[in-house]
Amino acid sequence: MVIDHDDADDLVQEVFIKVWNNIDKFREDAQLYTWIYRIATNECLSFLAKKKRRFFLPIGDVEGELSSKIDHSAYISGDEIQLKLQKALLKLPNKQRLVFNMKYFDEMKYKDISEITDTSVGALKASYHLAVKKIEEFINQD
Amino acid sequence: MKDDKDHIKKNINLESLPKKQVYVVPENYFNELPTIIQTRVVQPEPSSSPILSWSNALRFALPVLTLIMMLVYFGTRINNDDLNVEAMLDDVPTEELVAFLTESDITTEDLLSLIDINELDLDGMLQEDIRLINEDDWDEIMEEYSDLENEI
């Protein structure tokens, strides 16, 4: 989601520290992994929102910065089509990208994504199919 | 590589693409992660570092300070300008001021509108006018007034 390895590392650490500090608040009516996922997605979306605010950049520029990292990061390696897919993902709004990653890469069930993101299954399905359409359009360009 | 280019040229859909993880994790990252987190949990960092607090404080204080400094600067400049105008007018002889006012189109009403009557020392001004009138003129004026009184 955040593309840069150092940012991802910071977020992973923050998430586990939050889990450690708040474990007594964990209600057992949810699965532990759903709860941790929820903390992780909140941290991630907050981080991306802060990044956008911090530099007073419009969405396009944040997308440009992250897209450039896909080309130059030492921790990203893939064939042309895979990198193009990652760049296509950056065209999506953050929450839609999050839903796409959970469904496509993590192969999660809509029901679980619904619990994590607090969004209805119907809305998630619509969001995912719209995302797939946008991504395929982008990949088939040129 | 040839396969990749074929993928791009075709009208591809996502389902036909093999899922590959492009993000590479540094060696031993997950082995070292628990230790790093345990260290951070055992020795919690200060909730907000002084440098961050100062930078946040500066971020909000700087515009306010700049605004205050601008107000002070322009405020004193305006006051100084007022003082300068008064000092310049003090240097101009009264006769020249009277000549200027006579020649200009400024009406008495315009002048009065610029003056705060309450601040004027009317008695002092009257005394000054009386002092400037010579004795002959004074007698003449008094005679005029006595004639007027008789007519009434």
Side-chain angles (χ1 to χ4, degrees):
Chain A
M1 278 297 289
V2 294
I3 312 296
D4 183 73
H5 169 71
D6 291 336
D7 290 341
D9 182 30
D10 285 346
L11 281 171
V12 168
Q13 290 185 29
E14 286 304 320
V15 167
F16 280 109
I17 288 168
K18 281 206 169 161
V19 168
W20 176 265
N21 290 336
N22 296 287
I23 194 73
D24 53 322
K25 291 176 195 159
F26 168 62
R27 298 191 314 272
E28 287 177 16
D29 53 341
Q31 290 181 51
L32 183 64
Y33 102 100
T34 312
W35 184 65
I36 296 175
Y37 238 114
R38 198 179 176 121
I39 294 173
T41 54
N42 284 342
E43 284 292 306
C44 188
L45 291 175
S46 313
F47 172 85
L48 290 168
K50 267 187 213 160
K51 191 182 180 75
K52 203 172 91 182
R53 278 200 304 268
R54 199 184 306 144
F55 298 104
F56 299 102
L57 293 173
I59 288 173
D61 292 329
V62 175
E63 182 206 316
E65 187 201 324
L66 296 178
S67 184
S68 157
K69 279 183 182 169
I70 289 175
D71 287 328
H72 302 108
S73 172
Y75 296 108
I76 297 175
S77 120
D79 50 37
E80 196 178 345
I81 189 70
Q82 293 299 332
L83 296 183
K84 195 162 185 184
L85 170 60
Q86 291 300 325
K87 285 182 188 172
L89 288 179
L90 294 176
K91 302 272 175 203
L92 304 175
N94 289 335
K95 197 170 174 191
Q96 194 174 31
R97 187 152 63 99
L98 180 80
V99 171
F100 181 87
N101 281 337
M102 285 184 188
K103 183 69 194 155
Y104 183 79
F105 289 110
D106 300 342
E107 297 180 341
M108 291 171 72
K109 291 175 187 160
Y110 280 119
K111 187 177 157 290
D112 293 338
I113 302 174
S114 167
E115 266 181 53
I116 292 162
T117 57
D118 222 359
T119 311
S120 72
V121 170
L124 289 173
K125 282 182 181 174
S127 176
Y128 178 73
H129 287 292
L130 204 63
V132 169
K133 215 176 157 187
K134 281 191 213 169
I135 291 164
E136 284 177 346
E137 268 175 28
F138 180 83
I139 291 177
N140 288 312
Q141 274 174 5
D142 304 329
Chain B
M1 195 66 184
K2 190 173 175 294
D3 282 350
D4 296 339
K5 287 199 172 158
D6 286 347
H7 267 308
I8 292 171
K9 280 174 192 165
K10 283 178 208 164
N11 194 13
I12 53 170
N13 59 46
L14 273 182
E15 298 305 318
S16 68
L17 279 181
K19 284 181 195 170
K20 281 184 195 167
Q21 189 52 265
V22 295
Y23 298 97
V24 180
V25 181
E27 212 175 326
N28 286 327
Y29 177 75
F30 286 112
N31 292 335
E32 290 166 6
L33 188 63
T35 319
I36 295 168
I37 292 167
Q38 268 180 335
T39 315
R40 285 187 63 183
V41 168
V42 173
Q43 297 170 324
E45 295 146 10
S47 56
S48 61
S49 74
I51 294 167
L52 267 180
S53 307
W54 274 106
S55 70
N56 278 341
L58 274 177
R59 189 189 297 174
F60 293 109
L62 265 178
V64 177
L65 270 174
T66 313
L67 202 64
I68 291 170
M69 284 170 74
M70 280 170 70
L71 283 173
V72 169
Y73 174 74
F74 286 112
T76 50
R77 204 178 136 183
I78 288 163
N79 284 340
N80 285 342
D81 286 351
D82 286 350
L83 287 174
N84 288 342
V85 170
E86 280 177 21
M88 278 165 62
L89 285 176
D90 279 347
D91 291 342
V92 180
T94 312
E95 292 75 20
E96 284 183 27
L97 279 176
V98 171
F100 165 74
L101 291 171
T102 314
E103 291 295 317
S104 67
D105 293 334
I106 302 171
T107 63
T108 312
E109 286 77 19
D110 291 338
L111 286 173
L112 285 172
S113 69
L114 299 170
I115 298 168
D116 184 358
I117 297 287
N118 296 326
E119 283 184 8
L120 288 178
D121 180 13
L122 292 174
D123 289 339
M125 286 167 72
L126 191 62
Q127 289 301 321
E128 180 73 9
D129 284 346
I130 290 168
R131 193 176 59 77
L132 288 173
I133 300 170
N134 61 41
E135 274 189 29
D136 293 340
D137 291 343
W138 184 250
D139 291 340
E140 204 174 304
I141 290 166
M142 290 311 288
E143 269 177 33
E144 260 181 51
Y145 273 99
S146 61
D147 292 347
L148 278 172
E149 272 179 34
N150 291 335
E151 282 174 20
I152 294 164

